[in-house]
Amino acid sequence: MESILAFFRRMLGLEQSVERIMSPITKIVNKLDAHSAAQQLAAQKATEDAARSLAKADARRQEALLASSFKKALPAVGKSL
């Protein structure tokens, strides 16, 4: 009798199997993997943007120092004329 019930459970898909138990977990893991990949890509882009911003800030700082030294040199030139 038990074997007949087991047969019908298998035919109707009611019997638990590793695949049936793991299916929802696998879906969650796949979603988490996709989310992780998207976050890694966003983090990489943010890192690259930050590096570009730092380079621009350094260039502007150098320009400001050059302008400041040029400005300090101007009064001396004007006095000698």
Side-chain angles (χ1 to χ4, degrees):
M1 180 70 175
E2 185 64 32
S3 63
I4 294 172
L5 289 175
F7 172 75
F8 283 121
R9 278 192 225 119
R10 275 194 303 264
M11 293 299 290
L12 296 175
L14 299 176
E15 188 169 313
Q16 293 294 331
S17 66
V18 173
E19 290 80 20
R20 283 191 68 157
I21 293 169
M22 295 299 293
S23 178
I25 296 168
T26 303
K27 288 178 185 176
I28 291 169
V29 169
N30 289 341
K31 286 180 182 180
L32 287 172
D33 284 343
H35 179 69
S36 174
Q39 291 297 313
Q40 289 290 334
L41 185 63
Q44 180 64 32
K45 184 179 180 309
T47 301
E48 291 169 358
D49 289 346
R52 278 193 294 276
S53 295
L54 182 60
K56 284 181 184 178
D58 285 340
R60 288 180 180 159
R61 191 176 299 115
Q62 290 297 325
E63 287 178 19
L65 285 172
L66 183 63
S68 176
S69 64
F70 182 73
K71 182 180 174 185
K72 288 178 184 176
L74 282 180
V77 171
K79 289 180 184 176
S80 65
L81 291 176

